[in-house]
Each structure stands twice: as structure tokens, then as C-alpha cells.
Amino acid sequence: MASQHRKPRSAGARVAGIRTPALATAALTSVALLSQTANAAPSDDGKPSLEEVEKKVDDLYRQAESATEKYNAAKEKTTKQRKRTDGLVDDVAQRTQKLNEAREELGSYAAAQYRTGASAPDTAAFLLADTPQDYFDQNQLMSRLTDRQKGAVDDYVTERSATMKQRQEATESLATLTDAQNDLKVAKAAVQKKLGEARELLSRLTAQEKARLAAIEKQRQEEAARKAAELARQQAAEQAAARQESGGASAGTGSSSTAPSTSGSGSGSGSGSEDPSYATKAEKALAFARAQIGKPYVWGATGPDSYDCSGLTQAVWKAAGVTLPRTTYDQVNAGTTVPLADARPGDLIFFYDDVSHVGVYIGNGMMIHAPKPGAYVREESVFYDGESGIHSVVRPA
């Protein structure tokens, strides 16, 4: 997990926005353009307007992605519980074998006593007793046992107690496993329901309406790209200022053509230079991420042929030797939070108040992520759903 590299953070922290008024102006302009393009007037026949359909579809995809993360958590819990249950069942089997061996040894003593005529009734009563320990507490029987026999009795009582305890734990674990499996079914049904509703809405659109939706999406992407470029310029300016303040001592670190893609000015290094160890891991992670571009989003998938959002980021950092948790809810706590302006390639970008989406930052305001059902792993602006959609930035190693 490489937890030794991580610092404690608050799971609810959100990143600060970009410090420029230009983006606010651009955002307002984009809103006006979208309003004009979409023509939101409701239809006379009671059908929802194009914007209403678009918003509903987007909401359904968001809800499906949130349900996907719950599914992932339930699946992970089920897997762990099944492993624990299997271990308990195996342990019960081993302890039962030991219990049988202890019982056989006591049986041999009983047989010997019977042959010699010594205390056969007491031994028979012991073997048939529901609570042998109570019977052994009677001095009359214990005084007739040799040290070896007493040891055998002790072993039997110990194994019987341990076996009964393990059987109880196994029973409880099986019940917990059943609950986890039920949670998994519920989460899976929730995802399928949301995706089905979204597909149903989209299927009702005419070809003209679909074209208009595509035009709106294109405008959004263009606006997101402008914001990404602004972030890249801001990061480059802050890096240049940090290098200047350090008297050029770190000029060799940030002088490459990829300077806008890296930022260490606010990472706590004190000099603006990036941690070589992190940069090396991030380079491996991003190489893997780029190789996944074009693969389909499939909810609950962790590769290698398809991914959901957290499945992709987990696989990306695994390629660099860092183990991340399965879900966005856990990944957001698996590192150090940094401001958006200080994001470096390899950092994880989380979205929405419920932390239901994640992508991996590649520099210049861009990321690689598995967006949503029906889409493919791709490069996209971190502002693909607006600046307000960004929850936090986490450095995982």
C-alpha cells in the first residue's frame, strides 16, 4: 500500500478552485450558449424538453456510477467474508479431527479399564456424559487417572471447547456472508435499473434531438478544454516563480518541455522540485493508463479488457507497484490531499460530493478516466463536468 508515504487527511476536504476570474466569465458564456442551443421550451404534448431528458440521463448515469461503487464495496466485502468463512470451516474440520483423536485415546483407556475390571462404570459414564468436565471434577474419577490419562482428558476438553467456539464463529460468518451477498444483489439491481432507465430515455429521442445533444456535449468539451488550458498556464507560472525563488537551483528539474504537466510548488518540498521517487512511479502508472485508452467502461470491471472508474485507477497504480483500495470511497483516503493547482501527473482526481468518480491526472489540466457506461477509457479535461464537480486531488504514493 506504500502507506509509509502517506499523511493523514480529511475525507471530506474539497480542493480550492482555480484562482482566475477568466474561468467564471467563460463558464457564464458557456451557459448562455447552451441555453440558446438547447431551446428549453417544453413541448405541448407533455413530453420532457431536451434539457430535461439530458439532465435526467446525466443524473441516472451519476446514480448508476454511485451504485457501482456500492456494488464494488459489497463485492469486496463478500470476497473477504467468503475467504474468512472458508478458513473457519477448514479450521473446524481440523479441530474436529483432533477431537476425534482425543476421543479415541480416551476410548482406549476405557477399553483397558474394562479389560482389567477397573472403574468401567465411571469411564463409561464419562464417555456418555454431555458435560465431561463436570464429571472429571469429581475426585473419585480423577484420582483413578494416571498423569497421561489426565493429559488426554485435558486435551479432549480443550479441543471440544475450541471446536465448539470455531463452529459458532463459522455459523456467524456464514450469516454475515449471506448478508453481504444480499447487499451485492441489491447494489447490482440498482445499477441495472438506473442504466435501463437511461437507455430507455435515450431510445425515445429522435435523430434531430440526438444531434442537438451531441452539439451541446461538444460545447461542454470545448469549455472544459479552455479551463484545462488555463490550469496548465497557472501551473506553469507557479513553477517558474518557484524556480526563480530558489535561485535556479532546481532549474534542471523543471526545464523540460513537459513543465506544465508537473507541479511541486505546493507539495511541501519547499523548492518546487518534484519527488523523484513519486515521479518514477507516476511515469509507470501513466504509461499503463495510456495503454488502456479505448477500452470500454463496464461497471464492476477491473481489467484487463474493460474497467469502471476506480477499477482503472487501481490497475494504473498497481502497474507502478502501489496497491490502492477497490472503491473511490477508500481510494480518496489512500494518500495526501493537494490543491488542484498543485496536481502532478499520477495524482487521483475525485469528483462529486459522494466521491463516486475518479480519474488519474496526466498534466495540463487533463486526465485519463473511464467516464460512464457506453463510453470508453479516454483523455479528458478534469473540468469535463464543470469545476464544481471536482471534489479533491489525492497523491497516492
Side-chain angles (χ1 to χ4, degrees), residues 81 85 168-182:
Q81 195 61 37
T85 300
Q168 180 63 29
E169 289 185 12
T171 299
E172 294 173 354
S173 182
L174 282 170
T176 303
L177 176 60
T178 300
D179 290 341
Q181 289 173 328
N182 289 336

Side-chain angles (χ1 to χ4, degrees), residues 299-319:
W299 65 273
T302 57
D305 300 321
S306 58
Y307 299 90
D308 63 18
C309 66
S310 57
L312 176 63
T313 51
Q314 183 186 48
V316 162
W317 271 102
K318 183 179 180 180

Side-chain angles (χ1 to χ4, degrees), residues 255-274:
S255 60
S256 69
S257 61
T258 60
S261 297
T262 58
S263 174
S265 58
S267 61
S269 63
S271 64
S273 60
E274 65 178 36

Side-chain angles (χ1 to χ4, degrees), residues 168-309:
Q168 180 63 29
E169 289 185 12
T171 299
E172 294 173 354
S173 182
L174 282 170
T176 303
L177 176 60
T178 300
D179 290 341
Q181 289 173 328
N182 289 336
D183 290 343
L184 187 63
K185 291 179 181 178
V186 170
K188 182 176 182 179
V191 175
Q192 292 174 329
K193 181 175 183 292
K194 299 301 180 183
L195 293 180
E197 290 176 2
R199 284 191 286 265
E200 174 64 20
L201 284 173
L202 290 174
S203 69
R204 297 175 184 173
L205 296 179
T206 66
Q208 183 180 9
E209 288 172 330
K210 290 179 180 179
R212 288 166 60 195
L213 276 181
I216 294 174
E217 178 63 22
K218 182 178 179 181
Q219 287 181 332
R220 284 182 173 176
Q221 292 175 352
E222 291 172 350
E223 174 60 20
R226 284 194 292 271
K227 289 184 178 181
E230 180 63 30
L231 175 59
R233 286 191 292 270
Q234 179 181 323
Q235 289 179 333
E238 291 185 355
Q239 284 184 345
R243 288 196 299 270
Q244 187 174 4
E245 288 177 4
S246 65
S250 60
T253 303
S255 60
S256 69
S257 61
T258 60
S261 297
T262 58
S263 174
S265 58
S267 61
S269 63
S271 64
S273 60
E274 65 178 36
D275 176 9
S277 174
Y278 181 79
T280 300
K281 292 177 182 177
E283 185 177 355
K284 292 180 180 178
L286 294 184
F288 180 89
R290 291 188 175 96
Q292 310 314 305
I293 291 176
K295 294 183 178 180
Y297 176 106
V298 174
W299 65 273
T302 57
D305 300 321
S306 58
Y307 299 90
D308 63 18
C309 66

